[in-house]
Amino acid sequence: MSRSFWLLWSGQTANRFGALVPAFLVIYLEQSKIASKATTPVILGLFGAGVVVAGLIGGVVADRFGARRVILTAQLGVVAIAAALAFVDNIYVIAVCSPLAGLLTAVDRPAAAGLVTVLVPKEHFTKAYSILHVGFNIGASLGPVLSGFALAAWPPALFLLWAGAGVLYFVLVWLLPKDRLAQEGHTAEPWSPRSAAADMLEPFRGPVLLTFLGLSFLLACVYLQFEAALPLHMDHEGISPSTIGLVFAVNAVLMVAALPFVPKVTERMRENTPLVIGAILVAIGFGLNALAHDVPWFIGALVIWTLGEVIYVPMASTFLARRSPDGKAGTYQGSFFFAWNLGLIVGGPLGIVIARQFGFAVLWTVLAGVGIAVAIGFKAMARIPGYEDVPADSEITLSA
């Protein structure tokens, strides 16, 4: 792995330690009496809308103007929005800031994922995405520990922590080589709304990728409950915010231990097989939350769905990377983040509503069924006309 790859890894990891977690935003709003339980799903949905838009446009903008520039600009925006949220208690202002916060939280991810195809040889894509995902989840899992303590000590510190992480990310990405990344963003075609829209839609035109992205969305509706309904369930059971953060830290520890083995375990499998296995484990893990009432049980369920995540996410990124045309890696990775994060704006609020209307046990049982259906869909995907496994060292398959 090159020095530039490790700079990217370090920056993204550092950023996630302080990134704003939607569930903690919900807890902050409710505990501070800024928003009611009826209003917080709306705020969560607005935040998710920003995240979804980030996935749709982040890769396209990075391919055209340079990933480094996209990431640096986003971190400047993070500092501004975080400062506003830290000192504002007007729900309407927070509602306006929420989609911007979601956008700035996620817009760097397609750019970073696309850069992997430039910084790493094709045969090492799965290894690189595994390492990148390890860093992301170290930050994303241990970050809630810091967020939990910040929320308990002084609620506005939740946003100041986010701003500080953005500054550190800015500094590390600033060290990336400018000329190489600028070339990645260069295109001879003039920019226009029509060309930008065409770029965004390109990954959705083939039946194989369209099916893959649709199934990824459904699986995200299950998995992303760890940012929505799961912390609220734990809070409902009397578990403190700081303890919730510590439980999620198990995710990071398991990631570090298991992800390095993913390339070796999956290298002889058909490309859709790890996707099937990952979906099944996610379904079982979240389904077990229906029986959870204490910390040990929540941890046991988390271990299972984390193993599913470990297998699924790097292989999903690799699946797209092997099929993205030259100069479009960010766009294709962005299509995945769009589909995946759409699960937050749809699945997140819906999960909260179902849990509060019918109970958490019903929610987890329904989501387990959705996860199993997704696994069946990934298995059947191999029968779609035009589908073929793409070896690690093969040329790009544009027809997929």
Side-chain angles (χ1 to χ4, degrees), residues 351-387:
I352 293 175
V353 170
I354 291 174
R356 287 175 172 166
Q357 187 72 27
F358 303 102
F360 286 102
V362 171
L363 170 66
W364 302 126
T365 301
V366 169
L367 292 177
V370 173
I372 295 300
V374 169
I376 295 172
F378 279 132
K379 181 66 176 178
M381 187 171 63
R383 300 182 180 179
I384 297 176
Y387 177 91

Side-chain angles (χ1 to χ4, degrees), residues 302-323:
L302 180 146
V303 168
I304 295 175
W305 60 256
T306 295
L307 290 175
E309 176 191 8
V310 165
I311 294 172
Y312 172 78
V313 174
M315 289 306 301
S317 295
T318 301
F319 187 90
L320 281 169
R322 291 175 179 172
R323 290 165 170 80

